[in-house]
Amino acid sequence: MAFRAAIRKSTLLRGFTSRAVDGFPGAVGNTPLILLKGLSEKTGSKIYGKAEFQNPGGSVKDRAALGVIEDAEASGRLKPGGTVVEDTAGNTGIGLAHVCRAKGYRCVIYMPNTQSQEKIDLLRMLGADVRPVPAVAYEHPANYNHQARDYAATLANAVWTDQFDNTANARAHYASTGPEIWAQREGAVDGFVCATGTGGTLAGVGRYLKEASDGRAQVWLADPPGSVLYSYIESGGKLKERRGVGSITEGIGQGRITDNLGTFVDAVDGALHIADTKSVAMVYDLLDTEGLYLGASSALNVVAAYELALKLGPGKSIVTILCDGAYRYQSRLFSKTWLREKGLEDAIPEHLKKYAVLD
């Protein structure tokens, strides 16, 4: 009996559910919360990463994918045998493709042709109809968001899940990710920070933590180069046009306030602008010091958590999102040629360049 109790306690401490689940949808969520020891020691605070790369589809976007599909089913807009259409930079599409296979729906994905080949290949392996299109501004009628919406409108029994402005996305995080973090920290959360693409994670988690803490927990937005959200928050709501080059990070940053972000943006406490050089350096640092093989958006979030810990002072608990692993970006992030072309090779400390093993 003692052995069984120890096994059960170990399982629960790791963050996994203690019961069998029903298929892929049942496996989404209940991810571990990982203490990042090195950065915690440097700041005198506890910095945690929510291990969303351990979702069954490999990213935080599994939650949004399941949330928008279940919302469409509940409302009667999507019936058995139907088609799910989405515009996505990759991970939401991967989550949707998994859920569609599990539920028997056809999946059509429109995406910018700037995304990594690993993501495109995986989507096709999962049976999705992938349609890469030129990357143009949201205001352009050929933007991939609009193409997905228009195609769905031509089909019977089809939904455009509209991850950017369908607030079922944020509600999924309010109902799952936020409560999990709060329970895993037993209410000891002083700060939460993450980047935003659709805004669903920041809005859903942020709203839950604000309510659960009676406003005590601070919620900050992290922003990559080329996005306007940092300036929007810091200027008190003035939306500026995108300027200069974009970021190497995929799926985050915005040129507008999405409906998901709009549900919470006025309650955001502050914003941090994170340079690509810092994100790339953190990819390599986390691999070397924590054994975590994470993508650039995850690394950006960790940089932001570190900087927020410094702002709030020692003795605090800071939480961020480890969005996905590096497997979908390894041909870039660990390529000496690609890093050199992007001017990022020197961002990596000399003792960590040994991990850049691809030519």
Side-chain angles (χ1 to χ4, degrees):
M1 292 293 291
F3 175 76
R4 290 181 179 177
I7 291 295
R8 183 174 183 276
K9 181 179 180 181
S10 174
T11 301
L12 291 173
L13 287 174
R14 290 184 66 195
F16 298 114
T17 180
S18 59
R19 58 181 175 80
V21 298
D22 186 8
F24 182 97
V28 174
N30 289 310
T31 57
L33 193 65
I34 300 175
L35 175 66
L36 303 178
K37 295 180 181 178
L39 296 176
S40 296
E41 291 173 359
K42 287 181 180 180
T43 60
S45 290
K46 291 183 177 179
I47 297 178
Y48 295 89
K50 184 73 165 147
E52 292 299 283
F53 58 87
Q54 288 199 7
N55 277 305
S59 86
V60 65
K61 294 297 188 177
D62 288 359
R63 296 183 191 258
L66 182 61
V68 295
I69 286 180
E70 287 187 338
D71 179 72
E73 291 172 331
S75 67
R77 292 178 293 124
L78 183 63
K79 299 177 176 62
T83 300
V84 171
V85 184
E86 184 55 275
D87 43 278
T88 170
N91 278 332
T92 300
I94 291 166
L96 287 170
H98 276 289
V99 176
C100 284
R101 295 306 338 120
K103 289 176 171 283
Y105 300 124
R106 178 179 174 234
C107 183
V108 179
I109 302 297
Y110 283 82
M111 68 191 309
N113 59 8
T114 54
Q115 300 306 297
S116 68
Q117 192 60 44
E118 288 96 335
K119 284 184 180 179
I120 295 171
D121 290 343
L122 178 55
L123 281 165
R124 287 174 173 157
M125 291 173 194
L126 292 170
D129 177 354
V130 185
R131 304 182 179 189
V133 298
V136 295
Y138 181 80
E139 295 75 18
H140 196 290
N143 178 272
Y144 70 115
N145 302 64
H146 308 322
Q147 291 200 50
R149 176 200 62 202
D150 295 345
Y151 177 69
T154 69
L155 304 175
N157 189 18
V159 293
W160 171 46
T161 42
D162 189 16
Q163 61 165 324
F164 292 91
D165 295 316
N166 181 350
T167 55
N169 176 346
R171 291 197 299 273
H173 289 285
Y174 179 84
S176 66
T177 323
E180 287 174 30
I181 290 170
W182 187 253
Q184 287 168 320
R185 288 296 303 131
E186 297 180 336
V189 179
D190 297 298
F192 174 77
V193 61
C194 73
T196 178
T198 67
T201 305
L202 183 74
V205 174
R207 183 159 68 93
Y208 184 88
L209 293 179
K210 282 287 188 185
E211 292 177 3
S213 69
D214 293 326
R216 178 180 58 82
Q218 291 198 25
V219 178
W220 286 58
L221 182 150
D223 219 25
S227 177
V228 303
L229 300 181
Y230 169 80
S231 63
Y232 180 89
I233 298 296
E234 291 299 292
S235 67
K238 296 178 182 178
L239 196 61
K240 299 180 181 179
E241 293 184 3
R242 291 180 187 261
R243 292 183 180 179
V245 297
S247 171
I248 62 159
T249 54
E250 298 183 15
I252 58 174
Q254 264 294 347
R256 66 187 181 96
I257 303 300
T258 66
D259 286 357
N260 277 292
L261 183 57
T263 65
F264 184 73
V265 69
D266 291 341
V268 173
D269 292 288
L272 297 164
H273 182 268
I274 309 298
D276 281 348
T277 51
K278 292 182 178 180
S279 297
V280 168
M282 186 61 75
V283 166
Y284 282 73
D285 184 78
L286 288 168
L287 177 57
D288 187 65
T289 62
E290 303 285 352
L292 293 171
Y293 190 59
L294 301 173
S297 57
S298 298
L300 182 149
N301 282 347
V302 174
V303 173
Y306 173 76
E307 294 190 1
L308 181 58
L310 294 176
K311 281 182 175 291
L312 298 186
K316 301 294 193 296
S317 292
I318 311 298
V319 179
T320 193
I321 300 294
L322 307 181
C323 316
D324 62 5
Y327 302 97
R328 293 168 185 170
Y329 321 95
Q330 60 190 19
S331 65
R332 299 181 179 186
L333 289 176
F334 295 89
S335 163
K336 292 187 284 289
T337 300
W338 185 85
L339 289 165
R340 195 174 303 118
E341 289 174 349
K342 295 296 181 180
L344 294 169
E345 188 175 31
D346 291 338
I348 305 167
E350 198 64 37
H351 72 286
L352 299 181
K353 288 183 179 179
K354 61 186 178 182
Y355 296 112
V357 298
L358 303 178
D359 291 328

